[in-house]
């Protein structure tokens, strides 16, 4: 069986004290959507940081397109085609929407205007508000800025930590539709979601993490249909 496009393979590590991740594995295939769910404090954000190189992983490995990138810095991973939208502080609130997008392209030396246009096509409201400070936007619009900023490097993998946190169900559905659209362009999506049920609906692959370990791994559909997963993690 071929290796997934991106894999955090049996990662063990933490923030310097006791380990938070214990042999945790998450992965995503090319152009697919993988979703990580689980209770608060399960280590979902920590697993994302580990995959992005923000954590000391002292056992296990991270591989992208077959290449071992375990020792690369986050910035080197960006250069390899990875983009990460963290759970908090993911935009520059005092800068305009367009300045945020420009900041996202900091590694590029070529013309970025085409990519800005693509982001505006995906999120038309951002074009309307491009001269406004990002901090003045609604929660859902800010998340669009954060995703748009991440797309500015033209990544092959987009990692999102709770992109729908604090938005209404309608805005959540819209964001998920846009995320599906991004995946259809061939970009792999690895995301953490608190709205587990809705996220698993759009997931090719789902990971349920508990206390830094893989509790269940299957297709999104199979997890939604698993009575044990439903009862324990999806509220019945
Ligand atoms: N920067 C940090 N330093 C030390 N411990 C942390 C840090 N961030 C998170 N933790 C701890 O790691 C565990 C997992 O947290 P986290 O990955 O944020 O969980 P989740 O995203 O699943 O809610 C928690 O016990 C949390 O207290
Ligand atoms: Mg988290």
């Amino acid at each position: 069986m071929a290796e997934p496009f991106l894999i955090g393979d049996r990662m063990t590590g933490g923030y310097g004290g006791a380990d938070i991740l214990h042999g945790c594995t998450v992965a995503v295939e090319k152009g697919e959507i993988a979703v990580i769910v689980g209770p608060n404090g399960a280590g979902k954000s920590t697993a994302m940081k580990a995959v992005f190189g923000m954590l000391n992983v002292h056992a296990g490995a991270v591989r992208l397109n077959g290449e071992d990138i375990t020792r690369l810095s986050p910035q080197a991973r960006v250069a390899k085609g990875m983009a990460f939208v963290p759970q908090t502080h993911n935009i520059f609130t005092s800068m305009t929407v367009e300045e945020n997008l420009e900041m996202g392209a900091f590694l590029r030396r070529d013309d970025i205007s085409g990519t800005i246009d693509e982001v505006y096509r995906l999120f038309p409201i951002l074009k309307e508000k491009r001269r406004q400070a990002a901090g003045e936007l609604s929660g859902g619009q800010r998340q669009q800025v954060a995703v748009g900023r991440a797309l500015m490097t033209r990544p092959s993998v987009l990692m999102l930590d709770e992109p729908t946190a604090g938005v209404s169900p309608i805005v959540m559905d819209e964001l998920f539709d846009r995320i599906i659209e991004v995946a259809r362009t061939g970009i792999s999506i690895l995301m953490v979601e608190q709205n587990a049920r809705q996220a698993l609906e759009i997931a090719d692959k789902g990971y349920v993490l508990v206390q830094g370990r893989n509790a269940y791994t299957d297709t999104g559909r199979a997890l939604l249909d698993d009575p044990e997963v439903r009862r324990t993690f999806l509220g019945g």
Side-chain angles (χ1 to χ4, degrees), residues 14-21 36-49 55 87 161-162 192 194 209 212:
Y15 297 94
D19 284 338
I20 304 293
L21 302 177
I36 304 171
V37 301
N40 259 330
K44 303 181 298 295
S45 293
T46 303
M48 295 288 270
K49 290 182 211 166
L55 199 76
Q87 192 171 350
D161 194 348
E162 300 204 17
V192 172
Q194 209 47 255
L209 298 193

Side-chain angles (χ1 to χ4, degrees), residues 168-227:
S168 70
I170 290 172
V171 173
M172 176 188 72
D173 283 343
E174 283 174 10
L175 274 168
F176 281 166
D177 284 346
R178 295 295 87 74
I179 288 166
I180 291 169
E181 235 178 281
V182 171
R184 291 215 174 110
T185 69
I187 297 175
S188 306
I189 309 280
L190 179 63
M191 80 178 167
V192 172
E193 259 302 331
Q194 209 47 255
N195 297 301
R197 201 180 270 274
Q198 294 87 343
L200 289 173
E201 294 277 355
I202 67 162
D204 296 292
K205 194 81 176 273
Y207 295 88
V208 182
L209 298 193
V210 179
Q211 294 183 351
R213 291 181 169 86
N214 292 90
Y216 298 89
T217 303
D218 213 323
T219 63
R221 173 68 6 220
L223 291 174
L224 285 166
D225 290 343
D226 183 328

